[in-house]
Amino acid sequence: MAWRGSRAPGGAEIGLTRALPVLLPLLLSTCMGLLSPRSVQAQADPVILDTLVVQVGSRLDSRLPATTRTVQVLDLKTIESLPVRTIAGLLEWATSIEVQPRSPAQSDLSIRGAGFEQVVVLVNGVRMSDLQTGHFDLDLSVPLGQVERIEILRGPASALYGADAMGGVVNIVTRGHDPGWRGRIEGGSWGTARVSGGGGFQEEGWPALQIGGELSRSDGHRAGTDFDAAMIHLSVLDSLAGTPLAGDFGFSRRNFGAKDFYAPYPSFEKTRTYSSALRWTPALSPEAGFEVGASLRRREDEFTLIRDDPGVYQNRHTSSQAG
């Protein structure tokens, strides 16, 4: 903005320099009014902002994945309403998940088109994805009757769960202490049979126990897809120093025909999986706490290229992982 002055007698120009003595007192008066006690008190009043929740201790409870990606939860009511018998069968009903069964004993898992080695599978927050190959991510020791809910995180989550979580994460949560008992007996075509059961109990002075098991077998829908399997899962809930102490222990055994799985041969495979985990959750205060955990998983795999002639080629692989 240009300052336009007038010409005084004698030719002198009245400009900004001549006006400063008049403007400065006005500016000072305005500043003093802004700095008066009443104005300072008004500016010192607190402004209430939205609450920001920061959770560091548990990756599973972090709000970040839930707010930046899509999450689906298959709760107990949904599980009981669906015509499924296995965890793999249950996941077929989830959105954006493709289950690729090779036999009732072994299935691959894909989320949003990602490969089976780009999906992480957890049980109660403990990594179960196999170190040898993603083909055995669902080689678990948890019967369907022991599942309380399944949490499915769709989309990349490598920052929280590792480089192999590009497609997403599946977390299987087992039942808490449930004093009831349940069982199921099934039979069907191709010599299929399944017996499962589980429940919980607690005696005074002893930890609360939750146990479930399953036996299944089938001749297979085609030659070379027969199987027999067994699994058992035990959950223990106790307290240490007045705070929760939980443990999970599982074992599964699977023997199944693997015809044309990896090569055009009538192959056969045996797997054994052992898993254990302990979690202690002390509370520092009503507003803060942390979790201490340890886990161990061991898996044994025996692959026979030609089922009726084991001497041609056999491979035995053992992998262990601790956390």
Side-chain angles (χ1 to χ4, degrees):
M1 180 177 66
W3 177 272
R4 298 178 62 88
S6 60
R7 185 169 298 278
E13 184 177 6
I14 302 175
L16 182 59
T17 305
R18 297 282 301 273
L20 284 179
V22 179
L23 295 177
L24 283 177
L26 294 175
L27 292 174
L28 291 175
S29 176
T30 303
C31 293
M32 291 300 293
L34 294 175
L35 296 176
S36 65
R38 177 176 296 180
S39 300
V40 173
Q41 178 63 33
Q43 294 177 8
D45 291 338
V47 178
I48 306 301
L49 302 177
D50 294 336
T51 301
L52 176 63
V53 180
V54 180
Q55 296 182 335
V56 181
S58 174
R59 296 183 301 178
L60 291 178
D61 293 336
S62 174
R63 297 297 200 276
L64 177 62
T67 55
T68 58
R69 297 164 182 83
T70 59
V71 177
Q72 181 179 8
V73 178
L74 302 176
D75 56 16
L76 185 58
K77 183 178 180 180
T78 302
I79 295 173
E80 292 177 344
S81 67
L82 294 176
V84 295
R85 300 179 299 275
T86 63
I87 291 177
L90 176 61
L91 290 173
E92 291 181 349
W93 292 78
T95 307
S96 303
I97 286 189
E98 180 183 6
V99 178
Q100 304 161 342
R102 295 170 175 240
S103 81
Q106 194 268 321
S107 300
D108 290 342
L109 184 63
S110 172
I111 299 180
R112 288 182 171 177
F116 53 83
E117 292 185 330
Q118 296 176 314
V119 176
V120 171
V121 177
L122 313 172
V123 173
N124 294 328
V126 177
R127 174 182 283 262
M128 293 292 158
S129 293
D130 192 70
L131 294 174
Q132 178 189 4
T133 172
H135 286 305
F136 297 108
D137 282 351
L138 293 179
D139 193 357
L140 307 172
S141 58
V142 181
L144 182 62
Q146 291 297 104
V147 177
E148 179 177 296
R149 67 182 185 275
I150 296 183
E151 303 165 343
I152 303 166
L153 174 62
R154 296 188 290 267
S158 296
L160 292 176
Y161 299 97
D164 51 346
M166 289 299 298
V169 180
V170 175
N171 182 38
I172 300 166
V173 181
T174 59
R175 291 175 183 256
H177 179 57
D178 182 0
W181 290 86
R182 57 202 167 272
R184 176 182 292 183
I185 300 176
E186 305 172 22
S189 54
W190 302 303
T192 303
R194 189 183 308 270
V195 179
S196 61
F201 56 93
Q202 182 177 18
E203 295 290 339
E204 186 176 355
W206 291 86
L209 301 178
Q210 191 76 23
I211 188 170
E214 180 180 290
L215 296 172
S216 58
R217 57 96 51 209
S218 176
D219 294 332
H221 63 284
R222 62 179 175 84
T225 60
D226 57 304
F227 77 91
D228 68 87
M231 64 182 75
I232 185 171
H233 185 268
L234 173 66
S235 296
V236 182
L237 181 61
D238 202 355
S239 63
L240 178 64
T243 54
L245 175 66
D248 292 302
F249 308 92
F251 168 75
S252 68
R253 172 187 60 81
R254 289 176 170 85
N255 304 324
F256 54 94
K259 183 179 179 181
D260 300 330
F261 274 23
Y262 314 107
Y265 296 102
S267 305
F268 190 73
E269 197 155 4
K270 299 179 181 179
T271 66
R272 305 290 185 268
T273 303
Y274 311 83
S275 61
S276 60
L278 286 174
R279 298 181 304 278
W280 181 43
T281 314
L284 299 178
S285 68
E287 295 81 15
F290 64 95
E291 180 177 278
V292 180
S295 63
L296 178 64
R297 183 176 187 265
R298 176 182 173 88
R299 190 175 173 283
E300 301 171 356
D301 172 60
E302 180 182 289
F303 176 75
T304 302
L305 184 63
I306 301 177
R307 183 172 187 170
D308 296 329
D309 192 1
V312 174
Y313 177 81
Q314 276 190 319
N315 178 73
R316 292 181 178 88
H317 187 97
T318 301
S319 61
S320 299
Q321 60 189 49

